[in-house]
Amino acid sequence: MKTFVGIDIKNIYIIVHKNEDKLFKFQCPSRKWDGFVLITSGEGEVITHEGEVQTVKKNDLILFRKGHKYSFYFEDECSYITSAYDITFDNKVEFPYPIPSIITLSENSAKKIHNMCDIWQSRKWDSYSICRIKLIETYLDIMKKAHLTSHYDRDIAKAVSYIHDNFRNNFSGDEIAHFCSISKSYLRTKFLKQTGLTITEYRDKLRINASIEMLESQHFSITEIASELGYYDIYHFSKTFKRIKGISPQKYARQ
């Protein structure tokens, strides 16, 4: 039997991008609403609801629940997107899956938050509905990644999350290592040990799974699929597809 998770966002109060001067301090003794803070520039410290002191920087997303207490401190100038809303999970108080309170987003995921903020600030007639949908999608994505990475350590969880965000693009091992703040050789060793796959193999597995969905939709040609998933040409796509699935994408499409 499948377990379904219901999530809802109600009463969005604010989504705003703010800039702060040097020596910025903020203390919240008890948060009135649920929400997030996305750091968009600068580096500082946050004391979480659990009392932990953690360094935060650009693209770090901090999740808060109603009633949380926390504080921020930045020595230099900084900016961030902050928000307030009510969130429910099947009438439960906590998240259905354990997720970290601070999550480092990829550039693609951070851009989605920026886009959401722009839509809210545009004050158009449909801004509320669009932002509500985007907030739900954001939390679903966070919970999905938390579920996928729950049995990995922090470094590999971040790497797996990065790959899921960027598997359609061609990225390097240096980029992921920089994102995880560890050396490339250390990342490769840990990644293979914990996932059983190399980074390239893991990415290709995601690409081929996505290509199968596109093939089965019958809306895309082989050339379009190869291009959409970051392959240089049909030959490289077909070769990878056959290595993973045992048949060519052309034969798979005819079945």
Side-chain angles (χ1 to χ4, degrees), residues 17-195:
H17 201 167
K18 303 185 72 174
N19 297 293
E20 305 291 351
D21 295 328
K22 293 181 178 180
L23 302 178
F24 169 64
K25 294 182 180 180
F26 178 78
Q27 288 186 315
C28 180
S30 180
R31 189 174 173 94
K32 192 173 181 180
W33 298 292
D34 300 305
F36 67 80
V37 171
L38 174 69
I39 308 300
T40 56
S41 70
E43 182 174 323
E45 291 183 342
V46 58
I47 301 178
T48 66
H49 180 69
E50 294 79 14
E52 297 180 353
V53 179
Q54 295 197 38
T55 300
V56 289
K57 58 185 183 303
K58 182 181 177 181
N59 291 347
D60 280 344
L61 183 76
I62 305 100
L63 300 175
F64 299 109
R65 297 305 311 274
K66 183 178 180 180
H68 276 187
K69 61 179 180 180
Y70 58 93
S71 61
F72 284 101
Y73 175 67
F74 286 77
E75 286 191 3
D76 297 320
E77 294 178 352
C78 66
S79 61
Y80 55 91
I81 296 174
T82 186
S83 60
Y85 43 81
D86 296 316
I87 183 170
T88 59
F89 303 98
D90 291 333
N91 298 318
K92 297 177 182 178
V93 176
E94 297 301 330
F95 291 98
Y97 300 111
I99 63 175
S101 57
I102 301 177
I103 302 165
T104 301
L105 300 183
S106 67
E107 286 292 339
N108 287 340
S109 294
K111 285 179 182 177
K112 292 178 182 178
I113 303 293
H114 282 266
N115 176 252
M116 187 196 310
C117 182
D118 290 340
I119 291 171
W120 181 262
Q121 292 298 319
S122 71
R123 305 294 181 183
K124 294 181 180 179
W125 68 271
D126 57 351
S127 292
Y128 183 94
S129 295
I130 294 174
C131 288
R132 181 172 173 267
I133 293 169
K134 287 184 176 294
L135 276 169
I136 292 173
E137 289 175 343
T138 297
Y139 275 95
L140 287 174
D141 186 53
I142 289 170
M143 289 189 293
K144 178 182 178 181
K145 289 175 184 174
H147 180 65
L148 286 169
T149 62
S150 60
H151 50 290
Y152 301 133
D153 70 15
R154 186 167 180 264
D155 292 332
I156 302 308
K158 288 181 68 174
V160 168
S161 177
Y162 183 93
I163 297 170
H164 276 267
D165 280 342
N166 297 279
F167 71 88
R168 295 173 185 269
N169 305 318
N170 290 307
F171 52 78
S172 66
D174 288 325
E175 289 178 57
I176 303 181
H178 177 73
F179 181 76
C180 298
S181 300
I182 57 178
S183 71
K184 184 167 66 174
S185 59
Y186 185 55
L187 171 63
R188 284 175 173 172
T189 301
K190 286 186 72 176
F191 194 94
L192 180 60
K193 184 177 181 179
Q194 293 188 38
T195 68

Side-chain angles (χ1 to χ4, degrees), residues 37 100 103 127 169 182 198 200 216 220 238 240:
V37 171
I103 302 165
S127 292
N169 305 318
I182 57 178
T198 66
T200 300
E216 291 178 349
F220 304 92
S238 298
T240 304

